[in-house]
Amino acid sequence: MTDSRLSIETIGLTKIYGSGNTEVVAMRDASMQVNRGEVVALLGPSGAGKSTFLTAVGLINPPTSGQIRIDGQLVMDGPHAKVHLRSFRRRHIGFVFQKSNLIPFLSAIENVQVALELNGESPRAARRRARELLEYLGVADRSGNYPSMLSGGQQQRVAVARALANRPSVILADEPTAALDSHRGRQVMELFAKVAHERGAGVIVVTHDQRSLDVFDTIYEMEDGVIHRKAHQAATGPTGHRR
Amino acid sequence: MMLAGKDIRHNFGRFALTTFGVGMLLMVVMGMGGIYRGIVEDATLLVDRVGADLWVVQRHTRGPFAEVSRIPMNLADRVAVVPGVQQAREFVYHTIQREREGRPLRMAVLGLSWPVDRGEWIPLTAGRPLRQGHFEMIADESLGLALGEQIRLAKDTFTVVGLTRSMISSSGDGIAFFTTRDAQAIQFDVPGEAVRLERAARKARGEQSDIGSQQPILLEQSQLPASALPPIARPQMSAVLVSLEPGADPRHVAAVIDGWGDVSVYTREGQRNLLLEGTVEKVRRQIGLFRALLTIIAAIIMALILYTLTLDKLHSIALLKLIGAPNRVILGLILQQALVLGIAGYGIAYAVGQRLFPLFPRRVILTQADLLQLGGIVLAISVLSSLLGIWKALKVSPNEVLS
Ligand SMILES: Nc1ncnc2c1ncn2[C@@H]1O[C@H](COP(=O)(O)OP(=O)(O)OP(=O)(O)O)[C@@H](O)[C@H]1O
Ligand SMILES: [Mg+2]
């Protein structure tokens, strides 16, 4: 029954915060399928439940009910973990969040390196790969700086480098380009698309940036906790890649 | 990657200051132990250095250091003829407090049995032992007297001919060594007016008694110095120090002297224990309790510091969990910092203490065993105090990265 092409599959995810009269249903019966190599945009007004959905898929915010499958493997069944979540995240999932999420006492390159070392990479190899990634993202010249000395956009690119470091099969990004100018923002989106297409990763990006929507293969919209598919991109993005 | 080290490097100033504070605290703990060792050492040093095999003191007293012991001067001669005794020395010991250059000068006056004992056994840092029966003294450096300096005590002027170090009474005063006669002169110094009053009182007593009216010559004699009056006891001393002949059984000799009924006898070990139990025991308990308290306070402060250090890193810890760091890594981060804090603090305590303790008025002795013991305690409290932070860190959810 598992579709080998599927990278991410959620079935009827529901999340209820609190209880009694403070109860908030943040996500209701959210189902989504993301193929390997597919780049998905998730749109929606503030408070719609986008972050709730993304963190559920990222295995850091267990749903109240519903299932999550990653690479065909059942990982969450309701609030119950079916795998060791932390090591699963380490090996399979890359995160980028709106706010900078770097470790303040590590330099830019160390922030990337630590993710690699946690996955068993030797310090030397990790350092080399971290440098490559920073070069790739155009922040190699700031690799020795602490996050507090980097601009918001530079921090964001370091975070992207870290998310890509372990070649994850799933990349989850929550408004990753909010701190970037439109040019850089688009570059990051294109980078996600490239990683998805080249390596067959499944990518979900929460975004408000209407101008970059052409980069995505599929667009979902979320409102009041309910997800529905908005459009399948008819035209090809600038990467010229279609599946 | 050594995350703990990276964090310390990043917040170096704050961490260094914290470590210094912990170091100072540990230095006090270390110092308390050292002060206790110093007191024990000071208390027993004299007994050890004097090197008597037996101490003969007033019956039922605990010797010259614990309480006042008065025995007659002729006791030395009585002891000297006991079989097995090689030498019996007079020993006078009392504490005086005088004024010198407007400041109190407290010293323990110790009389040496001239001419048998000229203080050759005293380790001198300058000068020489006593060379004449009067008016010379050997002073402990802590008294602040210089070689050749003259001070007036009783009716005489004494010259400092030798200096010694670490000869301290059990109450912490420096010891000055005199001949027994001089020591007694200092102790029993009576002003002229008191002597005149005493003689008048003696005469009055004589006139009222039958013997005084029957033998008027006795009344005349009451005007003579006390030392010239056979029925009036001569000045008394504190103890007799006994050196035994080689092979003599100290218990046997002690039993003989003890049998006389007017004195008590202690072995060197016995005298040592009396000192430790009597004078030092309370100090030991006092310092021990204080030390335990300080150790607990140090542990609490370290726990608070490590807890706040962890709180500051909570976001980073959540992030580490998010990117899949196992608990081992997070535990290591906190534990390593705790150990760095403890070990560096201990190092600072030792380094600063080494320079500071010699300036203390009383001796602070750091023994290897005490240092090792404190090191063990520091390691233990480092680990224990990090538990609070570890508990907090393990509780944080990776979700909190977003908040
Ligand atoms: N920890 C929480 N406890 C209670 N309610 C929560 C919690 N997190 C989110 N919510 C509520 O769930 C709903 C969805 O929140 P969520 O953060 O998923 O929205 P969002 O779509 O990401 O919004 P934005 O675009 O502003 O980031 C909101 O009404 C929010 O108030
Ligand atoms: Mg959000």
Side-chain angles (χ1 to χ4, degrees):
Chain A
M1 88 159 255
T2 54
D3 185 337
S4 66
R5 286 180 307 127
L6 278 182
S7 172
I8 305 163
E9 182 181 21
T10 71
I11 305 155
L13 288 187
T14 300
K15 177 75 187 186
I16 300 169
Y17 288 113
S19 60
N21 49 7
T22 60
E23 192 178 282
V24 178
V25 183
M27 180 165 67
R28 209 186 301 264
D29 201 20
S31 299
M32 184 190 280
Q33 291 190 336
V34 182
N35 287 322
R36 295 176 202 265
E38 186 177 3
V39 191
V40 168
L42 184 58
L43 308 179
S46 181
K50 306 182 293 295
S51 298
T52 303
F53 177 75
L54 207 69
T55 50
V57 176
L59 310 181
I60 57 175
N61 184 17
T64 312
S65 64
Q67 287 188 338
I68 300 169
R69 287 171 187 277
I70 288 176
D71 288 336
Q73 188 180 0
L74 178 67
V75 290
M76 290 298 289
D77 191 0
H80 308 291
K82 294 289 168 192
V83 292
H84 188 274
L85 294 183
R86 221 182 287 179
S87 61
F88 194 90
R89 282 201 299 274
R90 185 165 70 226
R91 281 179 280 121
H92 297 288
I93 304 178
F95 293 93
V96 186
F97 293 107
Q98 171 179 8
K99 276 191 296 176
S100 155
N101 282 293
L102 300 177
I103 296 172
F105 57 83
L106 297 182
S107 66
I109 193 165
E110 285 165 351
N111 261 288
V112 181
Q113 199 183 334
V114 73
L116 288 154
E117 284 187 26
L118 285 175
N119 231 356
E121 200 81 66
S122 78
R124 279 191 54 181
R127 187 117 190 139
R128 200 166 45 235
R129 175 148 169 79
R131 183 163 298 281
E132 282 169 15
L133 282 160
L134 291 183
E135 267 162 21
Y136 190 56
L137 284 150
V139 278
D141 54 328
R142 313 305 304 271
S143 59
N145 290 45
Y146 287 110
S148 58
M149 297 187 277
L150 301 178
S151 74
Q154 287 167 334
Q155 291 179 26
Q156 201 60 283
R157 280 180 278 161
V158 176
V160 171
R162 185 186 60 202
L164 300 180
N166 287 313
R167 300 186 167 86
S169 51
V170 169
I171 295 171
L172 305 172
D174 198 346
E175 302 186 43
T177 58
L180 301 180
D181 60 65
S182 61
H183 175 66
R184 285 282 184 198
R186 187 174 184 88
Q187 266 191 335
V188 167
M189 298 296 192
E190 283 173 1
L191 181 64
F192 285 144
K194 186 174 162 203
V195 170
H197 299 155
E198 281 177 0
R199 291 218 316 269
V203 180
I204 304 176
V205 181
V206 172
T207 182
H208 289 292
D209 189 357
Q210 298 289 334
R211 288 164 299 182
S212 306
L213 287 182
D214 59 303
V215 177
F216 296 92
D217 300 316
T218 319
I219 295 170
Y220 285 84
E221 210 170 55
M222 195 161 189
E223 211 160 339
D224 285 335
V226 180
I227 289 184
H228 49 88
R229 194 177 174 125
K230 192 182 177 200
H232 203 89
Q233 289 291 96
T236 57
T239 45
H241 217 100
R242 284 250 40 95
R243 288 168 79 99
Chain B
M1 190 183 291
M2 287 286 288
L3 291 173
K6 304 276 182 194
D7 183 38
I8 291 171
R9 188 191 57 182
H10 187 241
N11 295 306
F12 188 76
R14 202 175 61 146
F15 194 84
L17 210 65
T18 308
T19 310
F20 187 74
V22 169
M24 290 294 102
L25 203 61
L26 291 177
M27 187 192 75
V28 176
V29 178
M30 199 181 269
M32 295 310 287
I35 287 170
Y36 167 63
R37 290 283 167 224
I39 287 172
V40 169
E41 180 83 7
D42 284 348
T44 53
L45 187 71
L46 187 60
V47 175
D48 292 340
R49 284 272 165 77
V50 165
D53 295 314
L54 296 176
W55 291 70
V56 183
V57 300
Q58 182 182 340
R59 187 74 166 176
H60 298 319
T61 71
R62 297 287 176 269
F65 304 115
E67 58 181 313
V68 173
S69 160
R70 289 274 170 87
I71 51 172
M73 292 298 287
N74 65 6
L75 193 73
D77 303 326
R78 283 166 59 199
V79 171
V81 295
V82 173
V85 172
Q86 188 179 53
Q87 192 188 53
R89 287 181 276 158
E90 302 156 351
F91 184 82
V92 172
Y93 180 83
H94 53 92
T95 304
I96 60 170
Q97 176 165 343
R98 298 293 147 88
E99 191 120 320
R100 197 169 160 272
E101 288 162 5
R103 287 206 284 167
L105 174 68
R106 265 182 80 81
M107 61 164 90
V109 173
L110 194 151
L112 301 171
S113 185
W114 176 271
V116 194
D117 183 355
R118 300 166 186 233
E120 281 95 347
W121 51 271
I122 303 166
L124 295 179
T125 56
R128 55 169 174 81
L130 302 184
R131 212 176 267 163
Q132 58 187 46
H134 284 293
F135 314 130
E136 288 191 346
M137 64 185 278
I138 299 170
D140 185 78
E141 284 177 348
S142 70
L143 292 170
L145 300 171
L147 202 61
E149 195 169 337
Q150 301 200 319
I151 66 166
R152 231 187 127 66
L153 294 167
K155 297 188 182 62
D156 303 307
T157 302
F158 295 88
T159 307
V160 179
V161 297
L163 288 177
T164 179
R165 182 177 293 162
S166 307
M167 297 303 271
I168 305 283
S169 79
S170 56
S171 49
D173 307 308
I175 297 175
F177 300 85
F178 300 81
T179 62
T180 337
R181 299 287 168 258
D182 286 349
Q184 283 170 333
I186 294 166
Q187 185 179 14
F188 300 116
D189 172 37
V190 187
E193 182 58 17
V195 172
R196 278 189 289 279
L197 289 172
E198 162 64 15
R199 286 179 189 171
R202 242 185 265 156
K203 187 162 184 240
R205 279 200 307 272
E207 281 166 354
Q208 280 163 15
S209 67
D210 293 346
I211 195 163
S213 48
Q214 286 161 9
Q215 294 187 314
I217 185 90
L218 279 181
L219 293 181
E220 260 166 57
Q221 283 194 345
S222 69
Q223 302 301 307
L224 296 175
S227 57
L229 297 179
I232 292 182
R234 296 179 52 207
Q236 295 178 307
M237 58 182 179
S238 310
V240 171
L241 309 183
V242 180
S243 305
L244 296 174
E245 279 170 356
D249 178 8
R251 266 175 308 173
H252 179 71
V253 177
V256 170
I257 299 174
D258 205 45
W260 294 345
D262 61 339
V263 290
S264 291
V265 187
Y266 299 105
T267 59
R268 186 195 310 187
E269 205 46 43
Q271 184 63 40
R272 240 177 146 255
N273 289 342
L274 281 180
L275 264 174
L276 291 182
E277 288 162 14
T279 346
V280 181
E281 176 59 18
K282 275 192 195 133
V283 176
R284 188 181 75 83
R285 281 210 304 243
Q286 177 112 339
I287 291 181
L289 279 175
F290 203 60
R291 210 175 163 216
L293 219 63
L294 275 173
T295 311
I296 294 170
I297 291 170
I300 292 173
I301 290 181
M302 275 180 74
L304 278 177
I305 289 170
L306 290 165
Y307 186 66
T308 42
L309 281 177
T310 307
L311 285 189
D312 289 349
K313 279 196 292 291
L314 228 44
H315 186 262
S316 299
I317 288 168
L319 191 61
L320 281 168
K321 286 186 175 181
L322 176 76
I323 62 174
N327 282 343
R328 162 173 52 82
V329 169
I330 288 150
L331 212 104
L333 169 64
I334 297 169
L335 206 58
Q336 282 163 19
Q337 288 195 341
L339 290 175
V340 169
L341 187 67
I343 292 169
Y346 183 85
I348 289 171
Y350 184 76
V352 178
Q354 287 281 306
R355 279 161 190 74
L356 218 57
F357 293 153
L359 307 177
F360 279 32
R362 293 204 60 169
R363 275 208 294 169
V364 180
I365 299 174
L366 302 178
T367 66
Q368 200 92 25
D370 285 354
L371 287 174
L372 279 177
Q373 187 205 40
L374 183 62
I377 290 173
V378 169
L379 283 188
I381 63 177
S382 302
V383 173
L384 279 180
S385 58
S386 63
L387 291 182
L388 195 62
I390 287 173
W391 167 78
K392 183 77 187 172
L394 292 186
K395 239 180 48 169
V396 69
S397 141
N399 219 350
E400 285 175 38
V401 171
L402 305 176
S403 54

